[in-house]
Amino acid sequence: MIRAIAIALTCNILFGISLSAQDGKRVKIFGNVRDAEGNPIELVNVSVRGTVIGTATNEKGYYSLSVSRGDSVTLLFSCLGYNRAERIIAELSQDMRLNVKMSHLSFELGEVSVTAHQARADMMQSLDASRLKILPDPSGGSIESLIVTYAGVSSNNELSSQYSVRGGNYDENIIYVNGVEVFRPFLIRSGQQEGLSFINPEMTENVQFSAGGFEARYGDKMSSVLDITYKKPRELEGSAGASLMGAHAYVGSSTGRLTQVTGVRYKTNRSLLGTLDTDAEYNPDYTDLQTFITCRLTPKLEADFLGNLSINNYHFIPHRRETLYGTVRNPRKFLVVFDGKERDRFQTMFGALTLKYTLNENVQYGLQASAFNSREEESYDITGIYSQNTAEAGTTTENVVSPLDVASYHEHARNRLHSNVVNTGVFGIAGINAGNTLKFGLNAQYEHIVDRISEWESRDSSGYSLPQTGAAVNVISNLFSDNKLESWRYSAYIQDVLKFRTEKGLFTVIGGLRGSYWDYNREFIISPRASVGFIPNSRKNLILRFATGLYYQPPFYKELRVTEQDDAGSHIVRLNDRLKSQRSMHFILGGDYTFRAVGRNFKFTSELYYKKLDDVNPYTVDNVKIRYYGANCADGYAAGIDMKFFGEFVPGADSWLSVSLMRSRQTIDGALTVPMPNDQMYNISLYFQDYFPWNRRAMVNLKGVLSGGLPVTVPNRGWESYLRRLPPYRRVDIGFSYQIAGGEDAIMDRPFFRNLKNIWLGVDMFNLFDINNTNSYYWITDVYNQQHAVPNYLTGRQLNVRISVDF
């Protein structure tokens, strides 16, 4: 035994001496790779010429490799979308830092410079927010309006910034701004009320989006993640703009240690709402103020503050509505004369403070705290006297043959909701080596919500009596709520990003685990997630990806609400404290193929996906209002394929075409099988840019959408009333932009223009073909006790004029 131990110790000592001798003969070369703007470049291949030694940069652009001490070494840096770089080190005697700057791969086409795009091996897509400056957008310019042109994403309401991803609803999407989750008002029931998106595109520097299979560091949602990073200006900059739909301005500055970017937006879409069927006095006013401030307290400690104040007022006084619907052989006319008004107010405040301590270039820790406050008020008393009539084929709105029904109705609501959400947490990033990065985080969230709802609708028509019967009110629908929710949520995650190279190619493996607990329903969930990306050495223009994971969605306040009928016939809302998280199992297989054709850059992206859904809380959708069953009484699935063809359809201008095919089903209570509410079946979207050959200052931007109709249910009757689908959503918006001044223009040397960068003038035509898209239905009953669905059409053709100035 003693002899064996002595032999083992001797072997260990000799092995240690051998390793020390080898280490003494090797040195480390490390550094960062950045682009011309100073941004880190990920997935840069770093290799030593004439050897098999190599590595790849991490998301911070950092690399590290070990080489033999001695004579000169040649390092090669290559990455898709960038010019190759080569660095020669004459002599290596000790560890050394080598930082490299790589320039974008560009191709000169006359006056236009086209830049290739960087490869990504994870499940996130990048989006260029600068395109929104000239995008024809009826919502007033939002990141979401460009997101909906991506594969797997759809929207059937141009007045709303909400979107659906692969069959899910908007509540299943999570949005981060500078690493902090942001929220929106709860009571909004129509696109007219919605106002401005939280995200200010003028302040945005980086946009990342995933339609599924996202990492464990992102929160508990089932469909998608949108990750926004705001700017940190290096010098004074800003812009201002105005249009018929509002105005915006922002200014950014830097003093070295302190940077700030502040933006204000105002939106009023009364001219656009004037194209609706309802003749009314629309008075929507939406105002948003945001600021993002960073301060470097010490060389290693930085403080960030993000603040937001949003006030949305929607005043509505309807007068008259005329809607023609039906078929060519059986045309109908719906006429309503109104009395009353609606007044809504949604005020939200948000603040977030982040402290980041950078120990070194590989290790960073942080503390984060945020608070969200929302005060929402919805009030309306509207009386309508309506008639439904048959009309001759090809009739005008003035010609009516015979009345089918004459009735009146009264809609009343006094709804109030106050919410407070406070979140605090810690996070960290640790680079173990150049190809291995560990990320972790821990959060606690406090929620306090007070909900007061009182709404009802009475109708004097066939089968219904007048509102008053003694002391009671007989109505066709009502809803009352007096609830308060106070709870804590706790969540944590840990994930590892591993990048390594084999003789076959470069692998990126991301694996993580996320857990959370909610004390209201006493539920603890564990969510494992993983993805693999592969770039073969033989085809570096090809990227293959696979992702899978369990994605839970713990209920928030809206999901908890269950409607029950009391002895008096009133529908009362209570909260279901036994409601559990919905669950989605993701399987995603896809890839990117980048190529050049006819002297231009193109990229084809495709993903196949299958999502198995369990413990589903079914819901119905009316306009943008989602009403849940408040019970885990369904399961289902969503499956499909997303394809995106991106490139220079016209030399010097990026465009893309997205095609999505999907099918989603749910089975409720084990018996009723129906489509999911956002089962769109197909969606085709186009974003196209062009310029006039004789004057490249003049640009054309076109956005087109064609998507399948969504399933329709009768309000307050659930999926048992599923009868039909909405007609397909078809819309084309086009914008013409002209650069009045900018660049090398002689006019820019004049005193007034000296501090300006660009001046753009634009004209937009929304809904170019004036198509009547149906968003929902108003259900009426005729004298034969038959129900008819009167379409609620969206906006028609509308002209917009805009101007923007950059400095």
Side-chain angles (χ1 to χ4, degrees), residues 214-419:
F214 44 90
E215 303 167 17
R217 63 190 173 108
Y218 295 117
D220 294 304
K221 297 286 187 178
M222 294 198 302
S223 288
S224 76
V225 60
L226 178 60
D227 192 357
I228 305 294
T229 303
Y230 276 177
K231 297 176 181 178
K232 293 182 179 180
R234 296 182 176 90
E235 58 184 6
L236 181 65
E237 64 175 54
S239 73
S243 73
L244 297 180
M245 299 179 60
H248 62 85
Y250 94 95
V251 62
S253 62
S254 174
T255 63
R257 291 181 55 188
L258 181 71
T259 71
Q260 70 81 31
V261 57
T262 301
V264 60
R265 293 177 292 167
Y266 171 74
K267 173 185 171 182
T268 176
N269 55 0
R270 60 171 60 90
S271 61
L272 189 63
L273 297 178
T275 64
L276 298 172
D277 279 353
T278 301
D279 176 29
E281 297 176 31
Y282 295 99
N283 188 20
D285 289 298
Y286 314 119
T287 306
D288 175 271
L289 174 66
Q290 289 192 44
T291 185
F292 177 55
I293 302 171
T294 67
C295 180
R296 187 163 294 279
L297 303 174
T298 71
K300 293 187 175 183
L301 183 62
E302 179 182 276
D304 300 343
F305 174 75
L306 173 65
N308 169 254
L309 171 63
S310 177
I311 301 175
N312 297 336
N313 293 311
Y314 178 69
H315 297 170
F316 171 59
I317 304 177
H319 299 307
R320 180 184 176 91
R321 169 180 172 174
E322 290 187 12
T323 301
L324 285 176
Y325 68 104
T327 63
V328 175
R329 294 185 177 182
N330 186 24
R332 299 288 177 91
K333 175 186 174 183
F334 181 63
L335 173 64
V336 189
V337 177
F338 297 100
D339 185 26
K341 63 182 178 180
E342 176 178 351
R343 297 177 65 91
D344 305 327
R345 181 179 176 87
F346 305 93
Q347 176 180 299
T348 61
M349 293 184 291
F350 179 83
L353 179 64
T354 304
L355 292 176
K356 299 178 184 176
Y357 179 75
T358 303
L359 182 63
N360 54 52
E361 59 190 3
N362 294 319
V363 179
Q364 183 183 81
Y365 303 101
L367 298 173
Q368 199 168 66
S370 66
F372 170 80
N373 174 268
S374 175
R375 301 180 67 86
E376 307 171 34
E377 301 176 0
E378 183 183 49
S379 303
Y380 55 82
D381 271 293
I382 297 177
T383 301
I385 300 175
Y386 68 83
S387 64
Q388 181 191 197
N389 310 278
T390 59
E392 296 177 349
T395 186
T396 64
T397 58
E398 288 79 16
N399 298 326
V400 174
V401 174
S402 61
L404 292 176
D405 187 28
V406 176
S408 65
Y409 71 91
H410 185 184
E411 295 178 339
H412 167 91
R414 294 292 184 272
N415 300 332
R416 304 290 184 270
L417 189 145
H418 298 166
S419 63

Side-chain angles (χ1 to χ4, degrees), residues 428-539:
I429 302 173
I432 300 173
N433 55 52
N436 193 358
T437 304
L438 190 68
K439 300 180 181 181
F440 60 90
L442 177 67
N443 286 274
Q445 181 168 292
Y446 170 74
E447 299 161 5
H448 181 265
I449 299 174
V450 178
D451 185 23
R452 304 285 186 267
I453 292 178
S454 175
E455 62 181 51
W456 50 263
E457 178 183 356
S458 64
R459 189 175 297 176
D460 178 11
S461 184
S462 176
Y464 303 105
S465 62
L466 291 171
Q468 292 294 332
T469 303
V473 178
N474 293 329
V475 296
I476 63 169
S477 67
N478 60 17
L479 190 67
F480 301 97
S481 173
D482 187 0
N483 289 300
K484 178 180 178 181
L485 173 66
E486 191 169 3
S487 65
W488 281 91
R489 297 178 194 261
Y490 306 93
S491 64
Y493 71 88
I494 184 170
Q495 75 173 45
D496 193 19
V497 181
L498 180 63
K499 298 176 183 178
F500 60 91
R501 182 177 296 280
T502 69
E503 60 181 10
K504 298 296 184 181
L506 176 65
F507 287 87
T508 300
V509 181
I510 304 175
L513 193 66
R514 186 177 186 88
S516 66
Y517 175 77
W518 192 25
D519 66 0
Y520 185 75
N521 63 358
R522 297 172 295 280
E523 180 187 32
F524 178 71
I525 56 176
I526 293 290
S527 174
R529 307 175 188 178
S531 67
V532 179
F534 175 60
I535 304 177
N537 285 332
S538 58
R539 299 293 296 272

Side-chain angles (χ1 to χ4, degrees), residues 196 412 620 758 775:
L196 291 158
H412 167 91
T620 59
N758 294 292
N775 176 250

Side-chain angles (χ1 to χ4, degrees), residues 127-128 131-132 135 142-150 656:
L127 184 148
D128 184 3
R131 300 180 189 276
L132 292 170
L135 177 72
S142 66
I143 296 291
E144 293 87 344
S145 65
L146 206 54
I147 289 289
V148 298
T149 65
Y150 274 40
W656 59 82

Side-chain angles (χ1 to χ4, degrees), residues 134-263:
I134 52 178
L135 177 72
D137 179 20
S139 67
S142 66
I143 296 291
E144 293 87 344
S145 65
L146 206 54
I147 289 289
V148 298
T149 65
Y150 274 40
V153 188
S154 62
S155 172
N156 66 341
N157 189 338
E158 65 273 6
L159 293 172
S160 172
S161 61
Q162 298 186 30
Y163 53 89
S164 168
V165 178
R166 293 175 175 171
N169 66 42
Y170 185 72
D171 292 339
E172 297 173 15
N173 307 319
I174 192 167
I175 299 177
Y176 288 90
V177 176
N178 294 333
V180 183
E181 182 181 357
V182 298
F183 301 89
R184 70 184 187 96
F186 298 92
L187 287 180
I188 290 175
R189 57 186 169 82
S190 69
Q192 293 93 311
Q193 299 172 308
E194 192 168 304
L196 291 158
S197 162
F198 181 95
I199 306 164
N200 188 327
E202 297 286 343
M203 298 169 59
T204 300
E205 173 146 43
N206 187 37
V207 181
Q208 301 291 319
F209 175 77
S210 174
F214 44 90
E215 303 167 17
R217 63 190 173 108
Y218 295 117
D220 294 304
K221 297 286 187 178
M222 294 198 302
S223 288
S224 76
V225 60
L226 178 60
D227 192 357
I228 305 294
T229 303
Y230 276 177
K231 297 176 181 178
K232 293 182 179 180
R234 296 182 176 90
E235 58 184 6
L236 181 65
E237 64 175 54
S239 73
S243 73
L244 297 180
M245 299 179 60
H248 62 85
Y250 94 95
V251 62
S253 62
S254 174
T255 63
R257 291 181 55 188
L258 181 71
T259 71
Q260 70 81 31
V261 57
T262 301

Side-chain angles (χ1 to χ4, degrees), residues 758-770:
N758 294 292
I759 303 176
W760 286 90
L761 180 66
V763 177
D764 302 322
M765 183 64 72
F766 302 137
N767 198 354
L768 179 63
F769 300 112
D770 200 23

Side-chain angles (χ1 to χ4, degrees), residues 680-696:
Q680 202 129 35
M681 295 196 298
Y682 65 89
N683 185 70
I684 303 172
S685 57
L686 172 68
Y687 175 77
F688 179 76
Q689 290 188 100
D690 198 357
Y691 52 83
F692 292 92
W694 61 89
N695 189 347
R696 298 193 175 183

Side-chain angles (χ1 to χ4, degrees), residues 561-607:
R561 298 195 297 188
V562 179
T563 303
E564 298 178 341
Q565 190 169 3
D566 63 9
D567 296 337
S570 296
H571 293 87
I572 309 298
V573 174
R574 71 168 180 86
L575 303 183
N576 180 9
D577 61 0
R578 296 185 178 181
L579 185 70
K580 301 302 181 182
S581 300
Q582 302 179 80
R583 186 178 70 176
S584 176
M585 183 73 174
H586 289 198
F587 300 94
I588 302 171
L589 177 64
D592 299 340
Y593 177 65
T594 305
F595 62 97
R596 283 181 60 79
V598 294
R600 307 174 200 168
N601 296 316
F602 294 94
K603 182 171 73 172
F604 177 74
T605 299
S606 180
E607 287 188 349

